[in-house]
Amino acid sequence: MSDAGLPALGPTVRRVPGAGLPGSARGIREVYVETFCAPPWDEEPACADAYLERLARDAARPGFTAALARDGDGTVLGFATAWTTERPFPTGRCYPRVAAAVGPDRVEEWLCGGREIDELAVRPRAQGLRLGAALLAAVAEGAPGGRCWLLTSARNPGAVAFYRRRGWRPANAPDPVDTGFVVFLGPDHPALGT
């Protein structure tokens, strides 16, 4: 029981609009550092600042959605972001590798206009509480026609196994020599039935 005589609340996961993210920027940054500045990602802490700058721009993308996991005192335990993949298929960031792996016809049919999961992170101390699964479900919910997809590193077997356990299936064979990534399609993606 808490000091007020009420039971302590456990972690919650809620979707939040892009306009609601700046108030959680500090917590999002902390989660980013704890998740992506450690193995297997090994990013520099400055990447967390760059991510927050990118997140501010991404929040204006069509179809942007985000979800935050918080504990009972409001501390951010995890986050996920997603948006609608543009037409024509983008050419920046990792998109050319995705297009090469999936193929130009499939990119248009399978990915453009679908829900693209961009980031998913949970603090190490909060892992095992099913927050990652809840965050993923929150941002994937309502994907147009079930068309949801994401990109992850083939060099992170934990992430690959996490998505597989949730019914996500690879759209390409990972090529560890070249890219080392896997494009996953969500469990309700119509291409999985073909």
Side-chain angles (χ1 to χ4, degrees):
M1 297 289 266
S2 70
D3 292 339
L6 299 172
L9 298 175
T12 59
V13 173
R14 290 204 167 73
R15 282 176 79 155
V16 295
L21 291 176
S24 301
R26 179 178 175 195
I28 291 169
R29 185 188 188 286
E30 290 171 357
V31 171
Y32 192 99
V33 167
E34 289 181 27
T35 304
F36 296 114
C37 296
W41 310 110
D42 296 319
E43 292 186 13
E44 294 295 321
C47 291
D49 297 321
Y51 174 70
L52 288 178
E53 291 173 12
R54 182 168 60 89
L55 181 59
R57 293 186 305 272
D58 289 343
R61 287 175 179 254
F64 179 86
T65 187
L68 293 175
R70 296 180 181 274
D71 67 10
D73 69 3
T75 300
V76 177
L77 299 174
F79 67 89
T81 58
W83 53 72
T84 303
T85 305
E86 298 174 23
R87 272 191 178 90
F89 196 66
T91 58
R93 297 179 59 200
C94 295
Y95 293 111
R97 291 187 286 172
V98 171
V102 175
D105 294 338
R106 290 179 172 168
V107 161
E108 180 64 28
E109 180 183 348
W110 291 359
L111 309 183
C112 289
R115 175 85 41 83
E116 175 181 344
I117 310 300
D118 179 56
E119 294 288 356
L120 173 64
V122 175
R123 288 180 191 260
R125 69 179 169 88
Q127 292 177 2
L129 300 176
R130 301 194 45 83
L131 296 177
L135 288 163
L136 180 62
V139 295
E141 182 181 9
R147 294 177 340 127
C148 201
W149 69 279
L150 61 83
L151 174 73
T152 195
S153 173
R155 295 180 185 103
N156 185 343
V160 171
F162 169 82
Y163 294 117
R164 284 183 180 272
R165 283 192 308 271
R166 273 135 200 92
W168 291 66
R169 296 291 171 249
N172 70 311
D175 184 355
V177 174
D178 182 25
T179 60
F181 69 87
V182 184
V183 177
F184 275 100
L185 301 179
D188 298 324
H189 199 290
L192 294 179
T194 59

